[in-house]
Amino acid sequence: MEFQQCVSIIGAGPAGFALAADLLSHGKNVLLYSHPTHLRHANSVREKGCLQASGAMEGFADIPITTDMTEVIAFSQVVFLTVPSTGQETIIQEMKGYDLRQHILIAVPGNLLSLIKDAHMEVGNILETNLSPYSCRMEEGQLLVLGRKKRIMIAALRNDHPSGNSAGPGFRDVIQDLFPGVRLGWCSSVVEVCLSNINGVFHPLMLLMNAGRIESTGGDFLLYRDGLTPAVAAAMLGVDQVRLEIGAALGLQLESTLDVSNACYDQAFTSLVTLAQRSPPHNRLRAPAGFENRNISEDVPDVLVPWCALAGALGVDASPIAAVIVLAEMATGESFMETGRNLRKLQLDTVTRRELVARFSPPTTQHESRL
Ligand SMILES: NC(=O)c1ccc[n+]([C@@H]2O[C@H](COP(=O)([O-])OP(=O)(O)OC[C@H]3O[C@@H](n4cnc5c(N)ncnc54)[C@H](OP(=O)(O)O)[C@@H]3O)[C@@H](O)[C@H]2O)c1
């Protein structure tokens, strides 16, 4: 049996359940881990007896769920991490006692997990994606899949796999087999992947610029369709420009946020506003009920803070991104610059600009098309 025939998934939220159901329907064996103090969705599914999916994924799935880390690590050498990046360190601490030298860890999304000190356990390989393959929500054990992405970006620490089977398919084919229906765009490094997490452009500004409306209506409006108006889009383009300049300073030709989103869903929108109004995976999404939401608590510290820190180290003016971070700090009382994935947390605080460029620029001779 191929080693990737069994797949463990750590993180029992909508993204983890959608991946589990998708892999099951593609003939894989799956085991889903829910952290013992984060059992909300797992308990609802258990009460119903199975997962019910609707939207872009239809039907019922009987998904084995465990709270036992030993079981999940023994089950498979392939372990997906589908917790928000704010939960990754909790999970990494729990995995530290295990021998993971034959395991592949795939963080969906990664948000530079493989650079943080705590993740430096001995593991076969770590891969990071920019986004989840599914746009999905979950309520009372029911999964609603609003959209399935056609392309996501990925990078690995090393380009080999620990199965020891050199006669097996190539490493990228092995990984591609774990993402049904999604084309993987291979990036030169996890930094390029993190810079391609366009949630950093969309989410924090959409919440901050609609904060009054969210709090006064309890989120009773459509987040993109009603909340991504021309002024909000203009602010997003300011953040996006800095993101592109950070990429350029590293020799990366990043796509605009609009282009990344269009590639995700095979769309061809010409502005963020028309995308917000007409894109089916976006224009039905309800606003969150309150301002406390991972669109801020995850995307500011673990996406915008590393972008801002990298910009500083590369001599790029990041004031539009810094402004969003400061506004988020004032609105929440959190110190995201301090608690987020800053250069110290990413172990890049003593690295010179020249070293940063050397480490995260694409090797020109090995340039490969990502399409
Ligand atoms: N869903 C989407 O459409 C979508 C789209 C793009 C990207 N993503 C990204 O994909 C990831 C997973 O998304 P999701 O919607 O499945 O997330 P989620 O429901 O917020 O979280 C997934 C699971 O992780 C648990 N968790 C949260 N913090 C934890 C911690 N400190 N330790 C252990 N477990 C913890 C959650 O428990 P609780 O229920 O107790 O919080 C939940 O069971 C996120 O990074 C998200 O930004 C999702």
Side-chain angles (χ1 to χ4, degrees):
M1 188 162 59
E2 289 175 323
F3 89 107
Q4 76 272 24
Q5 189 53 35
C6 295
V7 179
S8 293
I9 300 168
I10 295 178
F17 272 105
L19 179 65
D22 208 9
L23 288 171
L24 256 185
S25 76
H26 284 80
K28 304 283 188 201
N29 304 312
V30 299
L31 180 60
L32 183 63
Y33 170 92
S34 187
H35 192 275
T37 61
H38 293 269
L39 280 165
R40 188 165 54 113
H41 296 301
N43 282 343
S44 305
V45 171
R46 278 173 170 159
E47 275 163 29
K48 286 204 174 313
C50 68
L51 176 77
Q52 188 180 354
S54 61
M57 208 185 272
E58 294 276 347
F60 296 88
D62 189 4
I63 294 168
I65 302 173
T66 183
T67 54
D68 182 348
M69 185 60 84
T70 303
E71 200 184 340
V72 97
I73 285 173
F75 183 75
S76 172
Q77 287 171 269
V78 176
V79 181
F80 276 92
L81 218 56
T82 55
V83 291
S85 50
T86 45
Q88 287 171 343
E89 288 174 60
T90 310
I91 299 296
I92 293 297
Q93 291 304 331
E94 299 210 355
M95 296 178 97
K96 266 194 165 156
Y98 295 91
D99 181 356
L100 299 171
R101 286 173 297 175
Q102 296 301 310
H103 284 70
I104 289 179
L105 202 57
I106 308 176
V108 179
N111 291 348
L112 297 178
L113 166 71
S114 53
L115 297 188
I116 64 172
K117 194 167 176 218
D118 283 345
H120 281 206
M121 48 191 184
E122 227 181 316
V123 56
N125 211 340
I126 304 184
L127 292 95
E128 299 191 20
T129 71
N130 62 334
L131 298 165
S132 154
Y134 318 93
S135 171
C136 49
R137 296 292 177 265
M138 228 173 142
E139 232 167 81
E140 292 171 9
Q142 302 218 7
L143 176 70
L144 171 64
V145 181
L146 295 155
R148 298 174 65 113
K149 298 193 178 82
K150 305 284 187 295
R151 187 199 72 178
I152 61 171
M153 316 299 272
I154 194 165
L157 269 186
R158 287 182 293 281
N159 282 327
D160 56 13
H161 65 95
S163 67
N165 179 9
S166 56
F171 176 70
R172 291 185 177 188
D173 294 337
V174 170
I175 302 301
Q176 181 64 71
D177 186 49
L178 297 163
F179 288 88
V182 191
R183 194 173 70 241
L184 294 178
W186 286 89
C187 292
S188 56
S189 75
V190 288
V191 166
E192 184 179 0
V193 173
C194 176
L195 286 167
S196 305
N197 184 350
I198 54 172
N199 287 336
V201 175
F202 281 123
H203 290 166
L205 271 170
M206 204 147 47
L207 259 72
L208 287 163
M209 294 182 80
N210 287 283
R213 191 171 187 183
I214 290 170
E215 291 187 322
S216 61
T217 67
D220 190 17
F221 66 99
L222 294 171
L223 185 61
Y224 282 77
R225 202 199 66 182
D226 303 332
L228 205 170
T229 56
V232 179
M236 287 175 178
L237 291 178
V239 166
D240 206 32
Q241 183 56 33
V242 180
R243 186 184 67 84
L244 296 176
E245 285 169 19
I246 300 167
L250 291 169
L252 300 166
Q253 285 191 324
L254 299 178
E255 297 164 340
S256 70
T257 286
L258 184 63
D259 287 344
V260 174
S261 183
N262 277 334
C264 279
Y265 294 111
D266 267 352
Q267 295 169 328
F269 293 110
T270 53
S271 80
L272 293 177
V273 174
T274 49
L275 177 148
Q277 288 169 352
R278 297 191 201 147
S279 164
H282 298 92
N283 68 5
R284 290 170 294 163
L285 260 185
R286 300 210 68 75
F291 189 70
E292 248 181 61
N293 184 273
R294 69 151 192 259
N295 287 356
I296 295 284
S297 64
E298 178 182 26
D299 293 322
V300 174
D302 293 350
V303 182
L304 290 188
V305 167
W307 289 0
C308 190
L310 284 168
L314 291 164
V316 171
D317 175 11
S319 39
I321 294 181
V324 180
I325 297 170
V326 170
L327 190 55
E329 289 186 331
M330 289 192 296
T332 59
E334 300 287 338
S335 305
F336 291 126
M337 286 283 198
E338 185 52 34
T339 59
R341 293 189 173 170
N342 53 36
L343 291 182
R344 181 175 41 80
K345 290 220 165 144
L346 299 174
Q347 303 186 96
L348 296 173
D349 50 336
T350 56
V351 175
T352 65
R353 181 172 169 173
R354 187 190 290 255
E355 286 166 340
L356 260 186
V357 173
R359 189 162 158 197
F360 297 117
S361 292
T364 44
T365 49
Q366 293 170 24
H367 185 71
E368 290 186 44
S369 166
R370 64 176 54 121
L371 295 175

